[in-house]
Amino acid sequence: MTLATPITPCPPRGALTAGRVLADLTWLRVGGPADWLFQPADEADLTQFLAQLPADVPVFPIGVGSNLIVRDGGIRGVVIRLGRGFNGIEVDPESGIVTAGAAALDAHVARRAAEAGRDLTFLRTIPGSIGGAVRMNAGCYGSYVADHLIDIRAVTRDGRPVTIPAGDLALAYRSSSLPDGWIVTGARLRADAADPAQLAQRMDEQLARRDASQPVKERSAGSTFRNPAGFSSTGRADDRHDLKAWTLIDAAGLRGHRLGGAQMSEKHPNFLLNTGDASAADLEALGELVRARVRETSGHALQWEVIRIGEPAP
């Protein structure tokens, strides 16, 4: 049931929209309406809003929607999406500390750091923003957020701003211990010194490698399932592929498999695509079919990497 108006006693300074359809805010372009979408003006606005929000109202941060399926029935509660007040990037060339707002895109952080002679190049090809990268301990080419993170700024569900050291987040492969309903607002990362020209060249090479192997021009949410091996692709010559999700999906005969408007990519079988008219139900059903078939053929239980939230269509 849609929440009654007003949702908080004091109207926020940011944009608060009732019944906002979320499909155009996700890379897969699916999803029903949220009861409310809140786009805070800044951290103080977010803090006040959460402090006044009734404790029984669920809160969901969504970032830029790059790793997300919102189900067709939408989300009961408040979806929080950070914007311009949270996308700053500062690089201290002396200390190598990079301070980034949670809405700053991973690629932008990598480029800004490289221009200052600091190496966060692993972020260049990771879709999404820093808030999601922290929550999921994003990584590729053998590097992870955990290798660089100093601490984060966050706002708790009850509206308290906190600073959390990286060591308290239990960062592991595609996971952290950040509680549900807490909103990451920024992060500090430590980056090694390197030659800016070499860093730029490395990022160009990474982009070329990604474009050659992934369906970057299709509607996807990045890697669909976690690797059973428990680590991301390293990019090294000795990288193992036998326990990569894409290998198991391919061996199960599901490269290019379709269900409704959903398809497992021909180019990279661990990428779930919206071919144009998929529903969230199509996408999730195909993912579950893949999980079942891989379990039958290999014995491995694939775990979703794409986050799925909300309710099915009535």
Side-chain angles (χ1 to χ4, degrees), residues 62-279:
I62 67 167
V64 294
S66 60
N67 185 40
L68 185 66
I69 293 174
V70 176
R71 296 186 176 106
D72 301 306
I75 296 175
R76 307 287 73 78
V78 178
V79 169
I80 294 180
R81 191 172 193 256
L82 306 184
R84 291 183 179 178
F86 301 86
N87 66 356
I89 304 169
E90 297 179 4
V91 183
D92 185 337
E94 298 300 321
S95 67
I97 294 177
V98 179
T99 304
L105 296 179
D106 300 331
H108 290 178
V109 174
R111 288 203 301 264
R112 285 284 296 278
E115 290 166 0
R118 292 290 171 171
D119 185 2
L120 290 176
T121 52
F122 80 99
L123 288 171
R124 180 64 183 88
T125 60
I126 296 176
S129 56
I130 289 296
V134 167
R135 185 175 286 274
M136 294 290 288
N137 187 26
C140 65
Y141 303 124
S143 294
Y144 298 85
V145 166
D147 300 325
H148 300 271
L149 188 65
I150 300 169
D151 54 31
I152 67 168
R153 286 276 297 173
V155 178
T156 66
R157 171 60 185 82
D158 58 357
R160 292 177 294 112
V162 293
T163 299
I164 308 173
D168 292 347
L169 290 170
L171 296 169
Y173 175 60
R174 297 296 186 266
S175 69
S176 71
S177 62
L178 195 70
D180 291 341
W182 290 31
I183 312 297
V184 178
T185 59
R188 292 196 306 157
L189 303 105
R190 185 174 290 107
D192 293 336
D195 177 66
Q198 292 181 350
L199 294 175
Q201 180 179 353
R202 183 185 306 166
M203 290 189 293
D204 287 343
E205 292 170 352
Q206 290 172 349
L207 286 171
R209 188 183 312 166
R210 180 200 66 182
D211 292 353
S213 63
Q214 298 178 10
V216 295
K217 295 182 180 180
E218 307 289 342
R219 290 183 184 174
S220 83
S223 296
T224 307
F225 301 105
R226 303 177 187 187
N227 289 325
F231 57 85
S232 300
S233 296
T234 65
R236 296 191 297 265
D238 62 350
D239 197 2
R240 287 181 57 192
H241 295 285
D242 55 326
L243 289 181
K244 296 290 179 66
W246 76 264
T247 304
L248 298 174
I249 296 168
D250 203 19
L254 294 171
R255 180 188 290 266
H257 191 80
R258 287 177 176 262
L259 181 64
Q263 180 183 17
M264 303 310 296
S265 170
E266 291 275 6
K267 193 171 191 178
H268 192 307
N270 193 29
F271 277 62
L272 178 59
L273 307 179
N274 180 352
T275 62
D277 58 354
S279 64

